[in-house]
Amino acid sequence: MREAYHVELDQLAQKLAAMSAQVADAMEQATQALLGADLELAERVISDDAKVDEARADCEEQAYALLALQAPVATDLRTVLAAIHAAESLERMGDLALHVAKAARRRHPDPVLPEQVRPYFSEMGKIAVRLARQAEQVIRTKDVEAARSLETDDDQVDDIHRHLFTVIMDRDWPHGVAAAVDITLLGRFYERYADHAVSVARRVVFVVTGKMPGYGTDDI
Amino acid sequence: MREAYHVELDQLAQKLAAMSAQVADAMEQATQALLGADLELAERVISDDAKVDEARADCEEQAYALLALQAPVATDLRTVLAAIHAAESLERMGDLALHVAKAARRRHPDPVLPEQVRPYFSEMGKIAVRLARQAEQVIRTKDVEAARSLETDDDQVDDIHRHLFTVIMDRDWPHGVAAAVDITLLGRFYERYADHAVSVARRVVFVVTGKMPGYGTDDI
């Protein structure tokens, strides 16, 4: 019984890791669609989001079944609950990648971003995808140190996000209100995505160490 | 044993209802601080957010204890898990009210909003607070019909939120980029707050009916 339980728990972790990979791919492609005004790629991210939603429902169902049939306690219980939370965060990351793709589609064939801010989004996109891939590794390896390293990457996203505001609010900003509004929303999507990746990693730390690292609040 | 269990479950529901009232108050005060450039009120919302975080931790702890000690199944299990999800959404609503208050503080003593868009925020604020109070009632009464009525209010927030974009992106928008950026973020905070309120109500419907109403995605 206990062994069957751990096999199922391991399956659940594998599913969550796969979901992390899915949302990493989604954000990678969404960023590429955004920077390259690539409609086809944007459409792919948009249609693929249903798979992330399915994966989340699947994880949640398996977690419920584990709780109902095995009634785990202590660390085992914490692990299942962390998995439920992680699945929720990962689904949200998929939604945020979807929003980036929708922005690319909405303005197509025009590029969404003025040349001046493209490097910031290229960088935020890279870090966001790296964070999701790190979350995947943390789920697979339960490596607490690796989980902590996500915080540094998240800080970088926050720094770029904050800097973006000074760029668009500069009185010499030449690209108008519509571009500034798009940039504001897109910046927030990346920032939230990164926060959720950190939150997934924190849940793993909680499972391993029994202590929850301080809750982050998104600044702004 | 079963009776003790239901007493505890009922206590947990009472705590969630109280949390809903807390975040309704927070958004009511934050909106008032925003519209009235009221620094003192903004500060109060900001410092009170810690209480929402504590309430969430308390709910989560009680839910964990229920799962570990009572190993509920079927509807009882679904109820506890719904409570965990609801506590997460409610904490997030508190964060969003906090963001509104921080925007008011950041621009103080200047008003954040140009006169032209104040009615939109006044209206979104009213509906958002109403949604949180309805969520409170739904938790207390488990009234499925009342839960469904939240969707209509949420649609109204979405409509106003969408309309705001046409206002600020109009080529004759006279208030500049900084105001447009603030409005973009604030609009999103209200829209997300309303979404979370609906999500809390949907979890209650799930517990009562065994069916999850379709997951909403935030448009944009």
Side-chain angles (χ1 to χ4, degrees):
Chain A
M1 190 65 162
R2 286 286 94 181
E3 183 153 353
Y5 175 72
H6 280 105
V7 169
E8 280 197 56
L9 204 54
D10 194 53
Q11 279 176 357
L12 181 55
Q14 297 303 325
K15 280 182 193 171
L16 286 174
M19 248 186 112
S20 307
Q22 266 180 304
V23 302
D25 290 346
M27 195 48 131
E28 192 158 45
Q29 291 167 4
T31 304
Q32 211 176 318
L34 180 73
L35 295 172
D38 185 333
L39 184 61
E40 206 179 315
L41 201 51
E43 295 284 9
R44 194 190 310 163
V45 174
I46 293 164
S47 64
D48 279 358
D49 186 56
K51 292 180 200 159
V52 178
D53 295 347
E54 279 163 28
R56 187 256 174 108
D58 184 30
C59 286
E60 210 161 90
E61 216 167 285
Q62 196 180 349
Y64 282 30
L66 271 169
L67 291 174
L69 299 174
Q70 313 272 3
V73 294
T75 303
D76 289 344
L77 172 59
R78 273 211 306 265
T79 305
V80 178
L81 293 173
I84 292 175
H85 282 296
E88 183 160 18
S89 283
L90 289 165
E91 190 198 0
R92 190 72 201 132
M93 289 163 75
D95 286 343
L96 292 161
L98 172 74
H99 292 339
V100 172
K102 280 189 175 170
R105 181 172 73 176
R106 195 162 45 238
R107 301 282 174 245
H108 186 82
D110 296 326
V112 184
L113 302 172
E115 198 56 50
Q116 181 186 358
V117 300
R118 289 169 53 92
Y120 300 118
F121 282 92
S122 168
E123 190 62 20
M124 280 198 294
K126 257 186 232 155
I127 305 172
V129 171
R130 191 164 71 216
L131 278 163
R133 301 215 188 280
Q134 284 174 310
E136 181 193 349
Q137 286 311 310
V138 168
I139 294 169
R140 289 195 196 281
T141 61
K142 298 205 171 43
D143 178 342
V144 172
E145 282 315 306
R148 287 191 183 120
S149 81
L150 269 80
E151 314 267 344
T152 319
D153 269 345
D154 181 42
D155 288 346
Q156 277 186 51
V157 173
D158 289 345
D159 286 346
I160 299 172
H161 182 229
R162 251 190 304 273
H163 181 67
L164 266 179
F165 284 110
T166 66
V167 172
I168 59 182
M169 290 207 183
D170 188 292
R171 66 180 64 232
D172 294 327
W173 171 254
H175 305 290
V177 169
V181 167
D182 279 340
I183 291 165
T184 301
L185 286 172
L186 285 163
R188 183 143 180 96
F189 298 152
Y190 283 95
E191 186 258 338
R192 295 297 300 144
Y193 181 100
D195 276 356
H196 280 290
V198 170
S199 148
V200 170
R202 281 186 179 153
R203 292 278 172 185
V204 176
V205 173
F206 178 60
V207 167
V208 175
T209 66
K211 277 186 199 154
M212 192 69 184
Y215 273 99
T217 52
D218 57 321
D219 275 333
I220 268 281
Chain B
M1 189 67 161
R2 287 287 93 180
E3 182 153 355
Y5 175 74
H6 281 106
V7 169
E8 280 197 55
L9 204 55
D10 193 54
Q11 277 177 356
L12 181 54
Q14 296 302 324
K15 281 183 192 171
L16 287 174
M19 249 187 111
S20 308
Q22 266 180 304
V23 301
D25 290 346
M27 194 48 129
E28 191 158 45
Q29 291 167 3
T31 304
Q32 210 177 320
L34 180 73
L35 295 172
D38 185 333
L39 183 61
E40 204 179 316
L41 200 51
E43 295 284 8
R44 193 190 312 161
V45 174
I46 293 165
S47 65
D48 278 357
D49 186 56
K51 293 181 199 158
V52 177
D53 296 347
E54 279 163 29
R56 185 253 173 109
D58 184 30
C59 286
E60 211 163 90
E61 217 168 284
Q62 195 180 349
Y64 281 30
L66 269 170
L67 290 173
L69 299 176
Q70 312 273 3
V73 294
T75 304
D76 289 344
L77 172 59
R78 272 211 306 265
T79 305
V80 178
L81 293 173
I84 293 175
H85 281 295
E88 183 161 16
S89 282
L90 289 165
E91 189 198 1
R92 190 70 202 132
M93 289 163 76
D95 286 343
L96 291 161
L98 172 74
H99 292 340
V100 171
K102 280 188 174 172
R105 182 172 73 176
R106 195 160 49 239
R107 302 280 173 247
H108 187 83
D110 296 324
V112 184
L113 300 173
E115 198 56 51
Q116 181 187 358
V117 300
R118 289 169 54 93
Y120 299 118
F121 282 91
S122 167
E123 189 62 20
M124 279 197 296
K126 255 184 236 158
I127 304 173
V129 171
R130 191 164 70 216
L131 278 163
R133 301 215 188 279
Q134 283 173 312
E136 180 191 350
Q137 285 311 310
V138 168
I139 294 168
R140 289 196 198 280
T141 62
K142 299 205 172 42
D143 178 342
V144 171
E145 283 314 306
R148 289 194 182 119
S149 81
L150 271 80
E151 314 267 345
T152 317
D153 269 346
D154 181 43
D155 289 345
Q156 275 187 53
V157 172
D158 289 345
D159 286 345
I160 299 171
H161 182 230
R162 249 190 305 273
H163 180 67
L164 266 178
F165 284 110
T166 66
V167 172
I168 59 183
M169 290 206 182
D170 188 292
R171 65 181 62 234
D172 295 325
W173 171 253
H175 306 290
V177 169
V181 166
D182 280 340
I183 291 165
T184 301
L185 286 173
L186 285 164
R188 186 149 177 89
F189 298 152
Y190 283 95
E191 186 259 336
R192 294 298 298 145
Y193 181 100
D195 276 356
H196 280 290
V198 170
S199 150
V200 169
R202 280 188 180 153
R203 292 277 173 189
V204 175
V205 173
F206 179 60
V207 167
V208 175
T209 66
K211 279 187 200 153
M212 191 70 183
Y215 272 99
T217 52
D218 56 320
D219 275 332
I220 263 284

